[in-house]
Amino acid sequence: MKNSTLTAAFVAGSMAFGATAQADILDVHMNIPKDLTFLADSAKLMDETLRNMSGGDSGFQLYGAGELVPAGEILENVSSGAIPAGWSFLGQWGGQVPVAQIGATPFGAGPEALAAWLHVGGGLEIVQRGFDPLNIKIMACHVTNPEPGGWFNKEINSVEDFNGLKMRMSGVGARVLNEFGASAQYLPAGEIYLALERGRIDATEFSLPIIDKDLGFNQIAKYYYYPGWHQPGSADILMINMDVWNGMSETEQAMYEAACQVSLQWTLAYAPSAQIPQIEEFEAGGTIVKTFPDEVLAELRVVTERVLNAEAEKDPLYGEAYRSMKDFVASSGRWTALQTLPAE
Amino acid sequence: MKNSTLTAAFVAGSMAFGATAQADILDVHMNIPKDLTFLADSAKLMDETLRNMSGGDSGFQLYGAGELVPAGEILENVSSGAIPAGWSFLGQWGGQVPVAQIGATPFGAGPEALAAWLHVGGGLEIVQRGFDPLNIKIMACHVTNPEPGGWFNKEINSVEDFNGLKMRMSGVGARVLNEFGASAQYLPAGEIYLALERGRIDATEFSLPIIDKDLGFNQIAKYYYYPGWHQPGSADILMINMDVWNGMSETEQAMYEAACQVSLQWTLAYAPSAQIPQIEEFEAGGTIVKTFPDEVLAELRVVTERVLNAEAEKDPLYGEAYRSMKDFVASSGRWTALQTLPAE
């Protein structure tokens, strides 16, 4: 971060102007606890990569959710310049920046396809246009593997079982379930466990098994459902105030772009093999792993398409992103089919 | 590259000590023409990333196959220090360094899983141990998507059709086909077209459709077979003489590691969506796209296992790599299965 007035309020508490007096250390405010498994590890890896490449001249000072800025107010503070940078789920800003909903698309791009669309399919340029009016530069440095379909206290045998279901869920997935009579809504991470334990909700989804574990849902829910139709792949972003970004040298900007790809590649490479040992540990403790019946997924898909098409009509930029992403995924579909080896 | 005596022979022709007199520009000798689509583009991207991050102080001077060193002699020249660095298919060195055969495994890891195993699954450390005695540091900066099963002038309806087939193919895949009575063997890129046209071979595999196109195989072969059972994913490596690597500063080494990941991520992201338009162009010109019957693939798989197990017994380090890779792929198999959405 450039030593500008933008962050005067936080200078005292930051290492940026302490031990490493000449370093361009960027204050990065996260929407999650800064020690959260996997979701925060990519930001730490990007910090480490920047420091190693620059000899300590570039890097992050990470702040967890609420440490200095509430998780829900990161966007407006980066936009105004009150803080220089944030790190969050892209889809979190769908209310203020509709194109951000592309951060996770039910029945949409999986993790590799989402990363590819963003970086070689023109996706990031489209999404950036939604953040330009806010004076925010975005970088897509983290893509999460499909999240499980959720923790449930009852079996889901047909879409009728969603009727009356109280579930913690956000975004388009929540709107889809509500079309089937559910009452799905967002709850922050810290409130989910108690709500599920007290019976105020019947089900919840949160993140990958290795992350859900930290929140203890296996202690209070019996069924762990798959696949994660609502979030086959989801992108997190680094948001940098555009004046701060423009104040960086070209070499520093290039290091940011490269360090971002290092983190992205790690998130894609690390996640798949890390989940099954955790799922097996849940199972050993009594969790029952289930998959939604195909008919249920087929009906969810139909309603999802309708909801997404309505969103696409409401906001032209989101519509452009949605169509571009769908076309990109389709373009590799036949390739994947041709190259699939029969099971052993 | 450090201004050492290692490259004295090539100094005159290199830009390293010309226009950018203070730059650490590494002479990188490739096993392919330096303008070959995709396969050379990742090396160019790594060069560009290094230059952008270092302000031009680091980067590559690329030499294509045979420009200064024959493609088959890159390994020994990097090892001796006669040249500082090379860029090639990892599997190319399976004769001298058996563990290098892990660069592509029939019925083995696909591109994402191969990249993940190398970088987060401990794979690269195992392979590096095979190159340590040669005083060579390796980096895995490029993974190619599955190659098609090959161009054929006759249909393959059963494994009997391999009997007597003369095919251009290398590595384990060739040894497997030969068990079925084929005569499969390596031919350099420049000799394949003529051999196929003159009928000295009946079939060939080379690389991805966008690359095969440049070699014109569609003009002289009728059938384009899938899937690429012999090479589901293949890794290319940057090889650096260990003394040259150790002579770099820690920040330069960190830039190399990051730039390598940038290239790797690009190869994974770019390849899938780029192939189908090319396949469709072939089809419009009369090429018939076919898939091997499942029974043929099942029989190829059985023989492949036998051949690979024999290799694993012959060379303990290759055996370690092979088992490690198989375990890693298996660890994400159930995750992928749980998360697969039914087709639309």
Side-chain angles (χ1 to χ4, degrees):
Chain A
M1 191 194 70
K2 296 300 153 185
N3 185 355
S4 72
T5 56
L6 289 175
T7 53
F10 303 114
V11 165
S14 159
M15 66 172 286
F17 308 96
T20 55
Q22 298 173 306
D24 280 347
I25 301 301
L26 188 73
D27 289 341
V28 177
H29 298 261
M30 311 186 76
N31 74 327
I32 47 170
K34 74 176 176 214
D35 288 320
L36 194 61
T37 302
F38 184 70
L39 290 176
D41 289 339
S42 50
K44 289 180 186 168
L45 176 59
M46 186 164 171
D47 167 43
E48 185 189 330
T49 304
L50 285 169
R51 288 179 192 258
N52 289 343
M53 291 196 293
S54 66
D57 285 343
S58 289
F60 295 161
Q61 171 68 31
L62 294 175
Y63 295 93
E67 269 189 65
L68 291 172
V69 176
E73 296 172 17
I74 295 170
L75 180 79
E76 63 194 73
N77 277 288
V78 174
S79 177
S80 71
I83 59 175
W87 184 288
S88 71
F89 171 44
L90 170 59
Q92 178 171 347
W93 313 113
Q96 300 97 316
V97 186
V99 72
Q101 296 178 97
I102 204 72
T105 305
F107 297 101
E112 284 83 11
L114 178 59
W117 174 68
L118 286 165
H119 289 290
V120 309
L124 196 61
E125 286 82 356
I126 298 175
V127 182
Q128 177 62 56
R129 277 155 48 204
F131 286 83
D132 281 339
L134 296 170
N135 202 40
I136 292 175
K137 153 94 177 171
I138 62 166
M139 306 179 78
C141 312
H142 178 118
V143 167
T144 297
N145 251 247
E147 301 187 346
W151 296 90
F152 290 76
N153 267 320
K154 65 170 197 172
E155 287 192 59
I156 300 295
N157 296 313
S158 77
V159 290
E160 279 75 47
D161 292 319
F162 292 129
N163 194 11
L165 186 85
K166 289 170 289 175
M167 182 166 184
R168 184 271 182 193
M169 194 179 216
S170 59
V172 177
R175 291 211 293 285
V176 171
L177 283 195
N178 290 343
E179 298 260 331
F180 292 100
S183 167
Q185 52 190 303
Y186 177 76
L187 275 181
E191 298 176 23
I192 306 173
Y193 184 94
L194 211 62
L196 195 56
E197 193 195 24
R198 299 282 163 86
R200 288 199 300 273
I201 55 175
D202 314 302
T204 186
E205 60 82 52
F206 185 65
S207 189
L208 297 174
I210 54 172
I211 303 164
D212 284 2
K213 186 219 173 192
D214 287 349
L215 296 171
F217 301 138
N218 57 308
Q219 300 158 16
I220 45 170
K222 188 169 169 191
Y223 300 105
Y224 201 13
Y225 264 94
Y226 290 80
W229 61 276
H230 63 300
Q231 208 150 309
S234 52
D236 287 7
I237 51 166
L238 170 63
M239 304 184 282
I240 306 178
N241 178 279
M242 194 67 85
D243 299 328
V244 174
W245 173 255
N246 288 334
M248 289 184 189
S249 67
E250 284 182 18
T251 53
E252 189 172 19
Q253 288 179 348
M255 284 193 236
Y256 266 71
E257 299 283 4
C260 175
Q261 294 288 327
V262 171
S263 288
L264 175 70
Q265 176 56 21
W266 178 81
T267 60
L268 293 169
Y270 177 76
S273 68
Q275 309 308 324
I276 291 301
Q278 184 55 57
I279 293 175
E280 287 171 350
E281 193 184 308
F282 287 143
E283 289 179 318
T287 297
I288 297 169
V289 170
K290 306 269 294 178
T291 52
F292 293 116
D294 281 0
E295 313 82 70
V296 167
L297 291 168
E299 296 193 55
L300 288 170
R301 190 194 285 266
V302 168
V303 174
T304 294
E305 292 269 319
R306 196 194 323 137
V307 169
L308 290 174
N309 285 330
E311 289 300 311
E313 280 205 14
K314 238 186 335 194
D315 187 84
L317 189 60
Y318 174 71
E320 183 181 342
Y322 178 56
R323 285 187 298 274
S324 169
M325 191 266 285
K326 278 190 79 159
D327 289 350
F328 186 85
V329 171
S331 73
S332 53
R334 189 182 169 203
W335 176 247
T336 305
L338 278 172
Q339 291 288 17
T340 299
L341 292 163
E344 222 166 320
Chain B
M1 190 196 71
K2 297 300 154 184
N3 184 353
S4 71
T5 56
L6 290 174
T7 54
F10 302 114
V11 165
S14 160
M15 65 173 285
F17 308 95
T20 54
Q22 298 174 307
D24 281 346
I25 301 301
L26 188 72
D27 289 340
V28 177
H29 298 261
M30 311 186 75
N31 74 327
I32 47 170
K34 74 177 175 213
D35 289 319
L36 194 61
T37 302
F38 184 69
L39 291 176
D41 289 339
S42 49
K44 290 181 186 167
L45 176 59
M46 187 164 170
D47 168 41
E48 186 189 329
T49 304
L50 286 169
R51 288 178 192 259
N52 289 343
M53 292 196 293
S54 66
D57 285 343
S58 288
F60 295 162
Q61 171 67 33
L62 293 175
Y63 295 92
E67 270 189 65
L68 291 173
V69 176
E73 296 171 18
I74 294 170
L75 180 79
E76 63 194 74
N77 278 288
V78 175
S79 176
S80 73
I83 60 174
W87 183 287
S88 72
F89 172 45
L90 169 59
Q92 177 171 350
W93 313 113
Q96 299 97 316
V97 186
V99 71
Q101 297 177 96
I102 204 74
T105 306
F107 296 101
E112 285 83 12
L114 179 59
W117 173 69
L118 286 165
H119 289 290
V120 310
L124 196 61
E125 286 83 354
I126 298 175
V127 182
Q128 177 62 56
R129 276 155 49 204
F131 286 84
D132 281 339
L134 297 170
N135 203 39
I136 292 175
K137 152 96 178 171
I138 62 165
M139 306 179 77
C141 313
H142 177 118
V143 167
T144 297
N145 251 248
E147 300 188 347
W151 296 91
F152 289 76
N153 268 320
K154 66 171 195 172
E155 288 191 60
I156 301 296
N157 296 312
S158 76
V159 290
E160 279 74 50
D161 292 319
F162 292 128
N163 195 9
L165 186 85
K166 289 170 288 173
M167 182 165 185
R168 184 269 181 194
M169 195 179 216
S170 60
V172 177
R175 291 212 293 285
V176 171
L177 282 194
N178 290 344
E179 298 260 330
F180 293 99
S183 167
Q185 52 191 303
Y186 177 76
L187 275 182
E191 298 177 22
I192 306 173
Y193 184 95
L194 211 62
L196 195 56
E197 193 195 26
R198 299 284 165 84
R200 287 200 299 274
I201 55 176
D202 314 302
T204 186
E205 60 81 52
F206 186 66
S207 190
L208 296 174
I210 56 173
I211 302 164
D212 283 2
K213 185 218 174 192
D214 287 349
L215 296 171
F217 302 137
N218 57 308
Q219 300 158 14
I220 44 170
K222 189 170 170 191
Y223 301 105
Y224 202 13
Y225 266 93
Y226 290 80
W229 60 276
H230 62 302
Q231 208 150 311
S234 51
D236 287 8
I237 51 165
L238 170 63
M239 304 184 283
I240 306 179
N241 179 279
M242 194 66 85
D243 299 328
V244 173
W245 174 254
N246 289 334
M248 289 185 190
S249 67
E250 283 181 19
T251 53
E252 189 172 19
Q253 288 180 347
M255 282 192 238
Y256 267 72
E257 299 283 3
C260 175
Q261 294 288 325
V262 170
S263 288
L264 174 69
Q265 175 56 22
W266 178 82
T267 61
L268 293 169
Y270 176 76
S273 68
Q275 309 308 323
I276 292 300
Q278 184 55 57
I279 293 175
E280 287 170 350
E281 193 184 308
F282 287 143
E283 288 178 319
T287 297
I288 297 170
V289 170
K290 306 268 294 178
T291 51
F292 293 116
D294 280 1
E295 313 81 69
V296 168
L297 292 169
E299 296 193 57
L300 289 170
R301 190 193 285 266
V302 169
V303 174
T304 294
E305 293 268 320
R306 195 193 326 136
V307 169
L308 291 174
N309 284 331
E311 289 300 311
E313 280 205 14
K314 238 186 334 194
D315 187 82
L317 188 61
Y318 174 71
E320 183 181 343
Y322 178 56
R323 284 185 299 273
S324 169
M325 191 267 283
K326 278 190 80 160
D327 289 349
F328 187 84
V329 171
S331 73
S332 54
R334 189 181 168 204
W335 176 248
T336 305
L338 279 173
Q339 291 289 17
T340 299
L341 291 164
E344 224 167 320

